[in-house]
Amino acid sequence: MVDLKSQYQKIKPEVDKAILNVIEAAQFINGPEVKAFQKDLEEYLDVKYVIPCANGTDALQIALMAAGLKPGDEVITPSFTYVATTEVIALLGLTPVFVDVDKDTFCLDTDQVKALITSKTKAIVPVHLYGQSANMEAVMEIANEYNLTVIEDNAQAIGSDYHFPDGNKKTGTIGHIGCTSFFPSKNLGCYGDGGAMFTNDEVLAGKMRMIANHGQSKKYYHDVVGCNSRLDSIQAAVLKIKLKELDNYIEARRAVASHYDNFFDKFEGVKTPVRANNSRHVFHQYTLTLEGIDRDGLNAFLAEKNIPSMIYYPVPAHRQKMFSAFNSKESNLPITDWLCERVLSLPIHTEMTKEQLDFICSGVAEFLSTKQ
Ligand SMILES: *Cc1c(COP(=O)(O)O)cnc(C)c1O
């Protein structure tokens, strides 16, 4: 699905040198690389505070903790997402309230949010799934009206823009807090685990920094219960180099997506990703929706030809055993259920060649013309 080896080859001299520098300086934790990367990312995102942490799941957890939510508070979030988003909500004793998604953008259906709001609702966690922004204008309008905290799960969309009538903003900087992951296969990935929170709010920034460091206000004085979540210096050194390439990486992904679009548009029953006009898609995934086509058959057929394809996600959160205590199966999320049976993601990365694309496209075409 990704080709991190070829990507590394192109930046190898710079990366190798940066990693060696960290090893020689032996400041593996909180080295100057962490601060330097943090500054660069703040500038890239045009956000006041970036707080690095250990991974994207921690970022979401720390954000929810900083928002001051109490056990029993309700958090509205899509069920059609990676498990991390919903898991941390439950882990903190909060109640996930699942909202259905929009068939075209795969992101939460903002028209359905208001009906789910109760006196216990405290936050909304929109997920910019596959690299395209949720309808943040609508999310922020609802949040302002009901005084809710918005925590954006930006793990799949770093670098994406949302177009407001008065200008663009980077996803992850629109809500009160944005969270991201630097997992190797993400659009901005390191060579291990990593994550970060973003905010323009000084108070929230201070709280998140403190929570990520054992709730410590000064050395050995701990004001709140926190956790231990930090980005190590080697990962920060790698990220600083890769951040300079992020816009090129995004363009490369968008070019792959256009190639697929052109090829698949002619096939009946194959719906290519819809590009919403209020955001710039950064194509973390290229996901087809297959109607009247044996999706699992195609998945298996491609695997036989050594063409990877993935189902993100076969089981939505509300049908996971982990949430059975919330009676979440009773949630009425027809679009989420429908999509889980029909989506298929094809390989997409920064180093794809025309030959690879042609091979993948012809594999899918062969299935569509002979096996259906
Ligand atoms: C990857 C991902 C996460 C979690 O990130 P980790 O760094 O793996 O903990 C959270 N939400 C979404 C939508 C993701 O894709």
Side-chain angles (χ1 to χ4, degrees):
M1 294 295 285
V2 295
D3 182 359
L4 297 171
K5 274 193 192 168
S6 310
Q7 193 190 58
Y8 164 60
Q9 286 308 318
K10 294 194 176 157
I11 50 174
K12 182 175 175 1
E14 206 181 346
V15 166
D16 289 1
K17 189 164 160 254
I19 292 177
L20 272 176
N21 278 348
V22 176
I23 296 173
E24 275 166 18
Q27 277 206 51
F28 300 106
I29 303 293
N30 275 331
E33 295 78 12
V34 179
K35 194 91 190 165
F37 166 63
Q38 175 195 319
K39 285 259 175 303
D40 286 359
L41 189 56
E42 283 165 356
E43 194 172 310
Y44 176 84
L45 295 170
D46 191 20
V47 72
K48 278 192 188 146
Y49 309 101
V50 164
I51 297 105
C53 68
N55 57 66
T57 309
D58 275 8
L60 289 160
Q61 182 184 325
I62 295 163
L64 287 162
M65 289 166 82
L69 305 189
K70 305 266 168 341
D73 286 349
E74 293 176 0
V75 179
I76 296 174
T77 193
S79 170
F80 192 58
T81 179
Y82 180 56
V83 67
T85 322
T86 52
E87 179 185 42
V88 291
I89 295 170
L91 186 70
L92 294 173
L94 310 169
T95 304
V97 175
F98 298 116
V99 61
D100 213 353
V101 289
D102 177 86
K103 216 177 189 170
D104 289 334
T105 64
F106 307 111
C107 293
L108 83 171
D109 181 351
T110 49
D111 289 341
Q112 298 191 33
V113 170
K114 274 194 191 180
L116 299 171
I117 294 176
T118 71
S119 59
K120 289 186 180 167
T121 308
K122 294 290 152 56
I124 308 176
V125 181
V127 181
H128 306 314
L129 202 71
Y130 303 152
Q132 179 157 253
S133 182
N135 181 350
M136 287 308 291
E137 222 176 327
V139 168
M140 294 316 291
E141 244 173 61
I142 297 165
N144 288 338
E145 186 179 341
Y146 293 89
N147 198 21
L148 307 175
T149 302
V150 175
I151 297 170
E152 293 172 74
D153 184 341
N154 199 35
Q156 299 189 3
I158 193 157
S160 176
D161 293 303
Y162 187 84
H163 311 314
F164 284 96
D166 57 347
N168 290 350
K169 271 191 178 175
K170 288 279 182 226
T171 53
T173 70
I174 302 160
H176 302 88
I177 303 173
C179 296
T180 205
S181 161
F182 303 124
F183 187 79
S185 62
K186 299 285 154 100
N187 285 19
L188 177 61
C190 55
Y191 295 169
D193 271 311
M197 294 77 74
F198 328 135
T199 187
N200 284 305
D201 183 315
E202 194 184 344
V203 176
L204 284 175
K207 280 188 185 166
M208 289 192 285
R209 224 173 269 127
M210 195 165 26
I211 291 167
N213 185 25
H214 300 289
Q216 177 170 285
S217 55
K218 66 178 188 188
K219 202 153 177 74
Y220 304 126
Y221 290 79
H222 304 271
D223 296 2
V224 294
V225 174
C227 55
N228 172 26
S229 187
R230 31 186 194 221
L231 183 70
D232 70 68
S233 309
I234 287 181
Q235 301 311 334
V238 171
L239 287 165
K240 187 169 156 52
I241 293 162
K242 289 186 69 176
L243 177 59
K244 292 187 286 181
E245 302 297 327
L246 180 57
D247 284 333
N248 295 332
Y249 290 163
I250 290 171
E251 281 319 312
R253 287 173 176 277
R254 286 171 58 86
V256 170
S258 297
H259 185 102
Y260 279 142
D261 281 352
N262 289 335
F263 187 82
F264 290 117
D265 272 343
K266 55 182 177 282
F267 290 95
E268 204 178 322
V270 178
K271 186 179 167 193
T272 57
V274 175
R275 302 180 186 212
N277 52 17
N278 57 5
S279 101
R280 178 164 170 268
H281 204 317
V282 295
F283 286 102
H284 176 60
Q285 299 299 343
Y286 184 88
T287 305
L288 297 171
T289 309
L290 304 169
E291 293 184 53
I293 291 167
D294 173 10
R295 188 264 319 255
D296 293 343
L298 172 56
N299 181 230
F301 178 81
L302 293 175
E304 251 169 54
K305 290 186 164 301
N306 273 326
I307 298 173
S309 65
M310 293 288 285
I311 297 159
Y312 302 116
Y313 297 93
V315 183
H318 72 285
R319 297 198 178 278
Q320 296 287 356
K321 270 192 202 153
M322 77 164 34
F323 293 121
S324 50
F326 296 100
N327 284 328
S328 55
K329 266 193 194 159
E330 315 307 321
S331 310
N332 185 24
L333 307 170
I335 304 295
T336 296
D337 286 332
W338 190 87
L339 285 173
C340 285
E341 287 174 6
R342 286 170 182 80
V343 288
L344 190 69
S345 299
L346 297 179
I348 189 164
H349 57 79
T350 58
E351 313 300 321
M352 279 179 95
T353 62
K354 173 109 183 11
E355 290 68 41
Q356 289 172 329
L357 278 167
D358 289 343
F359 184 63
I360 295 162
C361 289
S362 64
V364 178
E366 186 185 336
F367 181 86
L368 294 176
S369 57
T370 60
K371 313 273 165 181
Q372 287 293 303

